[in-house]
Amino acid sequence: MDGILKINHLSKSFGTHVVLKDVNFSVNKGDVTCIIGASGSGKSTLLRCINLLETPTAGEILFHEKNILDKSVDVNHYRAQTGMVFQSFNLFNNMTVLKNCTVGPVKVLKNDKKEAQERAMHFLTKVGMAPYINAKPGQLSGGQKQRVAIAKALTMNPEVLLFDEPTSALDPQMVGEVLDVMRTLADEGMTMIVVTHEMAFARDVSNKVVFMADGVINAEGSPGEIFSCEDNHTLKEFLSRFRNS
Amino acid sequence: MPDGFSQRIIYIIQNYWLSFLKGAGVTMVIAVISTAFGCLIGFAVGIVQSIPINKNEHIVKRILLKTVRFILGAYVEIFRGTPMMVQSMFIYYGIPLIFGIHLEMWPAALIIVSVNTGAYMAETVRGGILSIDKGQTEGAKAIGMTHFQTMVNVILPQALRNIIPQIGNNLIINIKDTCVLSVIGTIELFYTTKGIAGAYYTYFESFTITMVIYFILTFACSRLLRIWENKLEGAETYDLATTDTLAHTSGLAGIPKNLVEEYDNRESL
Ligand SMILES: Nc1ncnc2c1ncn2[C@@H]1O[C@H](COP(=O)(O)OP(=O)(O)OP(=O)(O)O)[C@@H](O)[C@H]1O
Ligand SMILES: [Mg+2]
C-alpha cells in the first residue's frame, strides 16, 4: 500500500478537557476518508491536529514514515504539503481571488510568479471561478468563496487535502456546487480527508468512513459497512438523525 | 516698538519672519522624521510581541522569546507612563553618562521623539493585529507561511486601515509636543518664540503668532492625512475577467494566450 499519513495513539486535551483519546488511523494515496460524528466529538480537533494548527498532547503523526511532531521537522514545510479547506473559507480579505491562489506558491514554495499564475488559472477554471480573478473575497457568495478556497489549496500542489465541514456555512443551493467540485477531485485521485455532515457525500464518494464519538474512533470501515451497520447502537442512533431529516 | 496690538504683531512678523519660519521648519522636520521612525519601531515591536509562544517549541527559543517580550513590554509601559519632558532630560543627560558618548542636540531630539512615538505605535499596531479575524492567520498558517510572512502579507495590510488614523494622530501630537524639547535647547518653534518675546517683552503678541502657526501646521497635516486615508480605501467594484480584460490585467500580462483561451472555452465544472 502507498501510505501517506499514519496517525498513532493521538491524544489532545485542552487543559483538563480531554478531546481526543488514542486515535489511530491511516491514509493511503488516493483515499477519500470521511470523518463523521456528533457535534463536539472532536472531528475538527483531529483535522486541526493533522495540520498542526493544534499541537497534539501525545502520539505521533507519520507523514511518509516521518513523525512530524519531532521538533526537528520544519512545520511550515509540512503544512505546505497538506492543504486545508475551512468551514469559514479563510480567504485573505486584502487580496484578489488570483492573488489568494498565488501568494502561497510564490512566497512559501518560492515558485516563479508566472508559473504560479498558470497553475492558479488552471484550478480556478476547474472550480468555475476563473471569471472572478479580480474580485476580492468580500464580493463573492459563500459557495464562490469556498470554490476559490479549494483552488487556493490546490495551487500549492498538496499531497493531501483536509476539509473541515466545507459546506456547513453555505446556503443549501450553494452546497451542491462545492460538493460537485470535491466529487470531481475525488474521481481524479486526490487524497482527501473530509469532515462532513453530508451523509450522501460520505456514502457515495468516500472509500473509508471514520465515525467519531466522544473523542475516540467508534467505528471505521467502507461506506457500505458503516451505513448498513446493525450492531453499533451509538452509530445507528447518529445515522438515524440524518434519515429522518 | 509701535503701540497697539495689531501694529506690534505686524512689526514682529516683519522683523522676525525668518526666525519663525526656521523654528517651524525644525518643528516639522523633527515631527515628521520621528513619527516615521516611531512607526518603524512600533511595527517591529508589534510584530515581535504577537509571535505566538508554542509549548512545542525548543526551550531556549521560548525563554528567549519571553525575555524579549518582557523587555519590549517594559519599554512600552515606561515610555507611555512618563512625561516626554522628563524623558528628554533622562535621555539627553543619561546617554552621555551611560555610554560615554557626546550626544548632539539633533540626534537627541530625534531619538527622544521617535522612542516615545514608538511606544504608542507599538500598542496601536498590537491592537490592529488583534482586531483581524483569527481565520486570516489560520489560513496563512495552513499554507505554510511563517509568522513574519503572515504579518507582512496578510495581517498588517488589513490592520493598516485601523492603524493609519493613529499614525496621523501621532504626527499631530508630535508637532505640538516637540515644544518640550526646548528643555534640552532644541531651537524649534516654541524656543524661538520665547526668544523673540523676551527681547521686547511682547509675550502675548509673539505667542499669538505662534499659536496660529501651530494650528496651520496641524490642520494642514490632518487634512492631508484624510485625503491619503480616502485614497487607501480603494476600489469597491471589480470587473468580470473576459479574454480582453484578462490580457490587460497587469498581473496576468505574462499568461500565455493559449491558457487564457483554454479557460475561456472550457466548461466550468
Ligand atoms: N481551543 C479550544 N479550547 C478548549 N476547548 C476546545 C477548543 N477547541 C475545541 N474544544 C473542545 O473540544 C471538543 C471537540 O471540539 P471539535 O471542534 O473538535 O468538535 P467537532 O466534532 O468538530 O464538532 P462540530 O461538529 O460542532 O464542528 C468540544 O467539546 C470543544 O468545546
Ligand atoms: Mg468542527
Side-chain angles (χ1 to χ4, degrees):
Chain A
M1 272 289 188
D2 223 354
I4 294 185
L5 260 179
K6 197 161 185 331
I7 287 149
N8 292 330
H9 308 294
L10 190 80
S11 298
K12 171 72 185 173
S13 326
F14 292 105
T16 55
H17 181 34
V18 181
V19 177
L20 293 176
K21 281 168 269 187
D22 196 25
V23 170
N24 299 282
F25 80 100
S26 55
V27 175
N28 295 322
K29 194 167 166 49
D31 273 356
V32 177
T33 309
C34 278
I35 303 178
I36 60 171
S39 185
S41 56
K43 308 180 298 293
S44 296
T45 306
L46 174 58
L47 210 62
R48 291 166 60 82
C49 280
I50 295 176
N51 202 17
L52 296 183
L53 287 174
E54 303 288 355
T55 312
T57 320
E60 334 177 281
I61 300 173
L62 302 178
F63 183 68
H64 292 296
E65 260 114 66
K66 194 164 176 206
N67 185 10
I68 51 139
L69 297 177
D70 273 352
K71 288 187 202 256
S72 60
V73 171
D74 180 356
V75 174
N76 292 320
H77 181 69
Y78 165 73
R79 283 199 186 118
Q81 294 168 284
T82 51
M84 178 95 169
V85 176
F86 298 87
Q87 182 175 345
S88 50
F89 327 117
N90 293 357
L91 292 175
F92 303 138
N93 293 327
N94 58 321
M95 299 178 195
T96 62
V97 164
L98 185 66
K99 187 88 192 294
N100 259 285
C101 295
T102 56
V103 68
V106 171
K107 304 280 179 193
V108 178
L109 304 177
K110 313 287 180 208
N111 284 165
D112 176 58
K113 190 171 165 199
K114 224 182 247 176
E115 184 194 318
Q117 282 180 339
E118 284 174 24
R119 219 162 55 228
M121 284 310 291
H122 170 78
F123 289 117
L124 284 168
T125 307
K126 194 176 182 117
V127 301
M129 287 302 292
Y132 296 89
I133 50 169
N134 296 323
K136 292 270 183 80
Q139 299 162 323
L140 302 176
S141 74
Q144 291 175 327
K145 279 189 219 174
Q146 199 57 298
R147 286 186 283 147
V148 172
I150 292 173
K152 174 186 165 193
L154 287 169
T155 310
M156 294 290 290
N157 278 341
E159 285 197 54
V160 194
L161 257 191
L162 313 173
F163 294 82
D164 190 5
E165 301 196 32
T167 58
S168 293
L170 302 180
D171 289 340
Q173 73 267 25
M174 292 169 191
V175 171
E177 65 190 53
V178 172
L179 290 182
D180 283 346
V181 168
M182 292 169 62
R183 196 168 280 140
T184 310
L185 292 178
D187 289 344
E188 290 173 358
M190 186 79 214
T191 311
M192 308 181 357
I193 305 177
V194 186
V195 172
T196 186
H197 290 295
E198 296 291 332
M199 293 305 144
F201 180 85
R203 195 180 51 225
D204 302 341
V205 181
S206 65
N207 58 346
K208 184 160 122 197
V209 178
V210 171
F211 171 60
M212 294 207 50
D214 293 325
V216 296
I217 295 184
N218 181 286
E220 71 182 302
S222 67
E225 287 164 351
I226 295 292
F227 287 101
S228 59
C229 171
E230 284 302 329
D231 52 2
N232 183 329
H233 179 71
T234 321
L235 176 56
K236 258 178 81 176
E237 195 190 283
F238 173 74
L239 290 174
S240 71
R241 277 187 253 158
F242 290 90
R243 293 217 178 86
N244 298 339
S245 61
Chain B
M1 181 61 49
D3 288 332
F5 181 67
S6 44
Q7 283 94 324
R8 282 182 191 223
I9 286 195
I10 290 166
Y11 178 84
I12 294 170
I13 291 176
Q14 276 172 346
N15 285 284
Y16 294 103
W17 63 273
L18 191 60
S19 304
F20 280 114
L21 208 62
K22 275 187 185 159
V26 171
T27 290
M28 281 310 286
V29 167
I30 294 175
V32 169
I33 295 178
S34 303
T35 306
F37 275 118
C39 285
L40 286 182
I41 297 173
F43 276 101
V45 174
I47 291 175
V48 173
Q49 295 279 62
S50 64
I51 296 175
I53 299 183
N54 197 324
K55 277 206 212 101
N56 213 27
E57 224 99 57
H58 201 280
I59 182 84
V60 177
K61 195 177 163 193
R62 262 158 57 201
I63 291 173
L64 199 74
L65 260 178
K66 284 199 174 159
T67 314
V68 170
R69 234 191 234 188
F70 176 80
I71 293 170
L72 293 179
Y75 153 63
V76 170
E77 292 303 330
I78 289 170
F79 278 84
R80 290 195 324 153
T82 53
M84 193 158 83
M85 200 184 266
V86 177
Q87 292 164 17
S88 304
M89 302 299 258
F90 182 78
I91 291 177
Y92 188 61
Y93 294 104
I95 286 186
L97 278 184
I98 297 168
F99 298 102
I101 47 167
H102 176 66
L103 201 54
E104 298 286 343
M105 186 276 293
W106 270 97
L110 292 175
I111 290 172
I112 290 160
V113 185
S114 300
V115 165
N116 183 275
T117 310
Y120 282 94
M121 279 309 294
E123 279 301 284
T124 305
V125 171
R126 203 176 65 90
I129 290 171
L130 287 178
S131 73
I132 304 302
D133 177 33
K134 257 184 72 188
Q136 297 288 307
T137 311
E138 294 208 329
K141 270 187 175 176
I143 55 172
M145 281 195 189
T146 61
H147 177 74
F148 189 72
Q149 285 173 329
T150 306
M151 284 297 146
V152 170
N153 295 294
V154 180
I155 306 299
L156 288 178
Q158 296 183 53
L160 215 54
R161 217 172 240 242
N162 299 332
I163 294 172
I164 284 174
Q166 206 50 43
I167 296 178
N169 271 346
N170 275 317
L171 176 62
I172 286 163
I173 289 171
N174 284 343
I175 292 173
K176 295 186 291 175
D177 284 4
T178 42
C179 71
V180 309
L181 294 173
S182 58
V183 299
I184 61 163
T186 308
I187 306 168
E188 40 66 63
L189 186 53
F190 177 78
Y191 193 95
T192 307
T193 313
K194 245 173 56 178
I196 297 168
Y200 297 101
Y201 213 73
T202 51
Y203 281 91
F204 184 38
E205 295 80 358
S206 302
F207 278 99
T208 305
I209 297 171
T210 297
M211 190 121 160
V212 171
I213 297 176
Y214 271 120
F215 181 73
I216 291 172
L217 294 179
T218 55
F219 190 73
C221 282
S222 78
R223 290 293 113 169
L224 285 174
L225 285 161
R226 187 67 51 81
I227 293 170
W228 186 42
E229 259 172 60
N230 289 340
K231 273 219 172 121
L232 277 173
E233 290 285 310
E236 290 300 326
T237 57
Y238 63 93
D239 295 321
L240 277 189
T242 62
T243 317
D244 289 346
T245 56
L246 238 174
H248 291 120
T249 310
S250 57
L252 273 173
I255 286 205
K257 195 148 179 282
N258 60 355
L259 200 94
V260 175
E261 274 164 11
E262 180 201 351
Y263 118 76
D264 221 33
N265 298 333
R266 197 161 157 182
E267 295 256 312
S268 57
L269 285 168

